[in-house]
Structures are given as C-alpha cells and as structure tokens.
Amino acid sequence: VQLQASGGGLVQTGGSLRLSCAASGFILNRPAVGWFRQAPGKEREAVACLSTNNDITYYPDFVKGRFTIASDKAKNAVYLQMNNLRPEDTAVYYCATDLGQSSSYALCHSRPDTWGQGTQVTVSY
C-alpha cells in the first residue's frame, strides 16, 4: 500500500487544519493507522493512532484535546483534525501503518514500516 498525506499549510496560532491520508490499497484492513510528525532537528513522533477494528484511539498528552484521528471506510481515507494549533506543532506530518502493530497504542509506540509522503504544517505566532 502507498500512502499520501495532504492538507497541510500555513495557519496562525489557534487555527485549525484537517489532514487527509489517501491510500493506493485498502488501508483500513490494517490493524492500525496513525499520524506522525517530524520537526526540523527533531525525531519523528506519533501524534495520533487508530485501531481500525474497534476505533480505539491513542494520543500523546501534548495533542490530547486538540487533535482527532478518524477514518472513512467508504473513501479508504484517514484524517487528522488539528485544532488550537501552536507554533510547536510546526512539522512535516506523515500517515503510517504497520501490519505488525495490532493496536493504536502499539502503532504509536513503534517505528511503522509503511509511510506516506508528508505534508508540511506551519503554525505562525
């Protein structure tokens, strides 16, 4: 499966963006899908993951209450709604999945083996 993230852009502090992840194959038959980000000079980190069989989500504390991951089986897509954005959210955002990770928690605490091209999110002061 090939993944492609889109929807990034420039937004002011406090603004919102909705990222989309499209897949060439059926992504939602994977156990879990997720969103990760990488800021310049920093390691890639997970921001949201979803278990596709029971819709259980996992978010790290620094995005809880601000980010929401969702899927649309009919469109074979995964979304990341980001609200109340902060300058520290500036990064390239990637969608990812891994057949070997069976839950949202596991995926978010792994290094997934399948990545899409990222989309840049820039939050200005």
Side-chain angles (χ1 to χ4, degrees), residues 4-11 17 19 35-40 82 85 87 89-94 117-123:
Q4 176 69 57
S6 62
L10 174 64
V11 64
L17 282 174
L19 306 184
W35 288 93
F36 294 69
R37 70 186 184 188
Q38 187 166 23
M82 304 186 295
L85 284 161
D89 295 319
T90 294
V92 178
Y93 284 71
Y94 302 86
Q117 287 188 316
T119 186
Q120 175 71 47
V121 171
T122 303
V123 185

Side-chain angles (χ1 to χ4, degrees), residues 53-101:
N53 61 347
N54 56 20
D55 290 334
I56 291 178
T57 56
Y58 173 84
Y59 303 96
D61 286 345
F62 56 84
V63 304
K64 273 184 184 176
R66 300 190 300 123
F67 290 13
T68 303
I69 186 172
S71 66
D72 185 330
K73 289 182 170 56
K75 295 183 178 180
N76 190 35
V78 181
Y79 304 100
L80 183 68
Q81 178 67 43
M82 304 186 295
N83 298 327
N84 192 20
L85 284 161
R86 306 165 180 168
E88 54 264 38
D89 295 319
T90 294
V92 178
Y93 284 71
Y94 302 86
C95 52
T97 186
D98 189 322
L99 277 173
Q101 304 303 327

